Amino acid sequence: MTFATSVPPAPAVEPDPPPLWFNVPEGFYALPLAATADERTARAQQFVRELYSRGDESIWEPAAPYYAGLAELMADTGVSYSAMGLFSTAEDAEYADASAGVAQCALTVAAIPTDQASGDTETIAQGILALLSSTPHNDARWLDLPCGPAVSCVTLTEYKLHPRITATGQATELLTGQIQVHVPFPTGPFTAVFTLHTASTEYWTEFCNIMAAILQTVSFTEPAGDIEPSMP
């Protein structure tokens, strides 16, 4: 799947962000982000049918308004693309049944206004790296992507879960991981922020590889061939 996105900024920010293209692998289900309620409703109905492909109207009908509302909340935060990643942990995913394990993640993309001269991506990336490196426990690193310089930041967080909310009734610990990559636009004063978050940290290496593959496809110029826009 290929996505193009342009995020409306906060009301005081001009101009609007230029477009951005990237590919995501199979297994990601894009939330129904759209500019109007009617569009979100239509996309939500399609989304739940893809997400719960073995379901029926008894599942799809109550689920669609929930995801339409979630998409509205996310659009208000400046997120232009959001998707759930669901991947079977069975050795042969094609024949995995409902009892097979599933590794999950969430992927979002946003365009953040940046005080920069157009095309000054290296200076902006250096500033982002310095800022992120100043926070303890951040693993911030410089990246050279095909589309230009970027900065990655990996954080691992452990949560203590109360016995009331665990399946076993015992207190337990939950480890979550987040990969966030800042990619300055060479075409305008914005930085694209890709964020992948997962609680399936036993498959951390696989999720790192997925994020790396997505980043290799990021482009600020329209690639050859057809594209599927994530927003109108």
Side-chain angles (χ1 to χ4, degrees):
M1 293 182 286
T2 305
F3 294 88
T5 180
S6 181
V7 191
V13 176
E14 293 291 346
D16 289 349
L20 167 70
W21 289 265
F22 57 92
N23 296 334
V24 295
E26 294 298 326
F28 280 97
Y29 299 86
L31 288 171
L33 302 184
T36 68
D38 287 345
E39 289 174 299
R40 285 191 293 270
T41 297
R43 293 187 183 188
Q45 291 172 352
Q46 179 182 355
F47 172 78
V48 296
R49 283 164 171 76
E50 294 176 353
L51 183 63
Y52 306 110
S53 59
R54 298 184 182 181
D56 54 30
E57 291 295 339
S58 66
I59 296 176
W60 299 332
E61 185 175 353
Y66 168 79
Y67 287 108
L70 182 61
E72 182 178 7
L73 291 174
M74 298 197 74
D76 288 342
T77 67
V79 171
S80 63
Y81 174 84
S82 178
M84 298 171 56
L86 302 176
F87 304 93
S88 172
T89 60
E91 290 186 3
D92 191 338
E94 182 178 356
Y95 297 100
D97 59 26
S99 63
V102 175
Q104 304 181 40
C105 72
L107 174 67
T108 62
V109 182
I112 308 301
T114 309
D115 185 13
Q116 72 188 66
S118 180
D120 189 15
T121 56
E122 185 164 342
T123 299
I124 291 298
Q126 288 173 347
I128 293 171
L129 179 61
L131 179 62
L132 293 176
S133 297
S134 66
T135 301
H137 311 301
N138 277 354
D139 181 7
R141 304 186 182 188
W142 182 275
L143 298 178
D144 287 310
L145 300 179
C147 65
V151 177
S152 70
C153 183
V154 172
T155 55
L156 298 174
T157 306
E158 190 173 77
Y159 298 93
K160 295 187 181 297
L161 303 182
H162 194 279
R164 289 197 302 255
I165 62 173
T166 65
T168 62
Q170 302 292 324
T172 188
E173 296 177 344
L174 175 67
L175 181 66
T176 66
Q178 177 179 282
I179 309 168
Q180 190 168 82
V181 180
H182 301 250
V183 189
F185 278 70
T187 50
F190 293 88
T191 294
V193 181
F194 290 75
T195 304
L196 187 149
H197 187 274
T198 183
S200 302
T201 50
E202 62 270 36
Y203 299 98
W204 183 247
T205 299
E206 287 79 1
F207 283 120
C208 288
N209 291 339
I210 287 173
M211 187 62 149
I214 293 172
L215 294 171
Q216 289 296 311
T217 69
V218 175
S219 177
F220 296 99
T221 58
E222 184 173 353
D226 296 333
I227 61 170
E228 180 183 347
S230 63
M231 290 186 68

